[in-house]
């Protein structure tokens, strides 16, 4: 039976287990995928903790993880355009996790992998890079405008920095001091939230304020930069709706549009976008991978190599 890494009840890391479960059957519009790599995201531990149970009710045990890259094994009824053997990536069907040898994907949202894109890089894209891409699309900045990204050194931030810089946007990104050189290499002016006097330094860097703020941290990190948020500053958050609301921020609503993943895949395959995969763990070390993400201080993206299996 295929292996999954699941949580048996809502709670902390002690509710996580490896389980052998029957292979899932693809339903209407779904494809069954042999997972080669799976992305690890903060949402994984938030779902395990039960923070999303009101809008994502799950039957337990539930497999962890929400995004994979792999090979189609079987297609469910009504699927057109995908067949066994196709290399695809995308977000999993609600309730079918990614930390597993087999996962279900909605066919309509699964994207084909172009030549030159590895499974590891593809698995890093659906959630974090997809969020960065759609956040920037929503902010709609023009070349020369100034964007402040809070939490620029993680999964979403490293992609947002690169995409914005590619469009000629001037990016200032906050991260811990250890990530300063890394962020600068991606195209941002880096600001160390644990070293610099952020409020003062921001006023020097952005005397007229920021045209936009992309908040990936929330809390004090967002209230601490109030000095560069003016009437015309657009603020988008994916981290803290409550504090962001004070600044008239919009919470990103992912469009789930079919164009996002192919666009990102082409950029990576062409060598124009670095998916910034900082650590790859075998599936057997899923607990360590998730603990690293749960620490809240990763560099870039964490991915599970599922081809290595047990
Ligand atoms: N709503 C959605 O659709 C959606 C989608 C994706 C993600 N999210 C949320 O967005 C947030 C970020 O996601 P992610 O995948 O980028 O997380 P991540 O990969 O864990 O990265 C978080 C980054 O924030 C940095 N950080 C922590 N405290 C900070 C502070 N006070 N100031 C600046 N940086 C700080 C961390 O490292 P350092 O402290 O070392 O710099 C780390 O690099 C999470 O809350 C996640 O759940 C929401």
């Amino acid at each position: 039976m295929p292996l999954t890494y699941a949580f048996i009840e809502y709670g902390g890391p002690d509710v996580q287990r490896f389980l052998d479960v029957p292979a899932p059957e693809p339903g209407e519009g779904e494809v069954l995928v042999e997972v080669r790599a799976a992305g690890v995201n903060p949402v994984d531990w938030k779902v395990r903790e039960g923070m999303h149970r009101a809008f994502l009710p799950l039957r337990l045990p539930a497999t962890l993880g929400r995004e994979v890259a792999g090979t189609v094994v079987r297609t469910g009824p009504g699927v057109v355009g995908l067949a066994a053997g196709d290399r695809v990536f995308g977000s999993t069907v609600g309730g079918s996790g990614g930390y597993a040898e087999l996962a279900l994907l909605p066919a309509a949202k699964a994207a084909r992998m172009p030549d030159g894109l590895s499974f590891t890089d593809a698995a890093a894209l659906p959630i974090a890079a997809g969020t960065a891409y759609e956040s920037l699309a929503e902010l709609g900045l023009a070349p020369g405008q100034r964007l402040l990204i809070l939490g620029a050194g993680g999964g979403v931030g490293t992609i947002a920095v690169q995409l914005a810089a590619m469009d000629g946007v001037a990016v200032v990104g906050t991260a811990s001091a250890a990530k300063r050189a890394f962020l600068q290499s991606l195209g941002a002016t880096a600001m160390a939230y644990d070293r610099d006097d952020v409020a003062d330094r921001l006023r020097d860097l952005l005397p007229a304020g920021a045209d936009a703020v992309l908040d990936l941290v929330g809390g004090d990190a967002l209230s601490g930069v109030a000095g560069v948020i003016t009437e015309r500053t657009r603020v988008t958050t994916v981290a803290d709706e409550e504090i962001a609301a004070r600044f008239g921020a919009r919470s990103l609503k992912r469009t789930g549009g079919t164009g996002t993943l192919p666009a990102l895949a082409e950029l990576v395959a062409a060598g124009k976008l670095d998916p910034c995969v900082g650590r790859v763990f075998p599936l057997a070390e899923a607990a360590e991978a998730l603990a690293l993400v749960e620490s809240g201080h990763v560099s870039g993206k964490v991915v599970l190599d599922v081809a290595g299996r047990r």
Side-chain angles (χ1 to χ4, degrees):
M1 282 207 282
L3 187 70
T4 74
Y5 193 58
F7 56 102
I8 56 169
E9 57 188 274
Y10 290 111
D14 55 322
V15 301
Q16 299 167 182
R17 305 272 188 285
F18 278 105
L19 301 174
D20 289 307
V21 296
E25 262 316 302
E28 179 84 27
E30 296 174 356
V31 292
L32 179 68
V33 168
E34 181 183 12
V35 179
R36 297 291 302 275
V40 181
N41 292 285
V43 70
D44 301 346
W45 64 262
K46 293 179 183 178
V47 168
R48 185 203 65 216
E49 297 271 351
M51 292 163 72
H52 293 190
R53 63 200 287 188
F55 52 91
L56 183 68
L58 296 175
R59 247 197 11 231
L60 303 181
T63 301
L64 287 150
R66 301 298 304 279
E67 62 183 351
V68 299
T71 309
V72 175
V73 177
R74 252 195 320 282
T75 59
V79 172
V80 285
L82 286 177
D86 287 347
R87 291 169 6 117
V88 295
F89 69 113
S91 296
T92 55
V93 168
S96 168
Y99 301 13
E101 291 177 329
L102 292 172
L104 294 172
L105 269 66
K109 291 186 185 165
R112 282 174 188 279
M113 291 170 52
D115 291 343
L117 182 66
S118 70
F119 286 115
T120 305
D121 286 351
L125 300 179
I127 293 183
T131 298
Y133 186 93
E134 292 179 15
S135 299
L136 291 174
E138 189 174 284
L139 287 169
L141 293 166
Q145 288 195 296
R146 289 148 306 176
L147 169 67
L148 171 62
I149 301 178
L150 304 176
V156 180
T158 49
I159 302 297
V161 168
Q162 294 177 79
L163 293 175
M166 232 179 261
D167 286 345
V169 171
V171 185
V172 176
T174 65
S176 52
K179 296 192 177 103
R180 196 189 287 270
F182 174 49
L183 276 198
Q184 310 230 129
S185 75
L186 298 176
T189 299
M191 193 154 18
Y193 70 83
D194 54 348
R195 189 81 54 85
D196 297 333
D197 181 336
V198 171
D200 279 354
R201 191 147 180 253
L202 270 179
R203 262 192 300 275
D204 291 345
L205 278 172
L206 303 168
D211 294 298
V213 175
L214 175 57
D215 167 43
L216 308 174
V217 182
D220 291 345
L222 181 55
S223 21
V225 301
V228 294
I229 299 178
T230 68
E231 267 175 15
R232 57 169 179 77
T233 307
R234 278 160 286 162
V235 183
T236 288
T237 187
V238 297
D240 193 334
E241 296 189 18
E242 209 177 301
I243 294 192
R246 288 189 217 154
F247 300 104
R250 287 173 297 192
S251 289
L252 176 73
K253 297 281 174 269
R254 290 288 304 270
T255 62
T258 49
T260 300
L261 296 189
L264 288 166
E266 289 302 335
L267 286 171
V268 175
K272 295 179 180 163
L273 177 70
D274 180 351
C276 288
V277 176
R279 290 286 299 274
V280 180
F281 291 83
L283 179 60
E285 292 174 20
E288 289 80 356
L290 185 53
L292 178 62
V293 170
E294 201 164 347
S295 78
H297 299 286
V298 294
S299 236
K301 182 80 192 174
V302 176
V303 172
L304 294 175
D305 176 1
V306 182
R309 307 204 171 170
R310 303 176 193 223

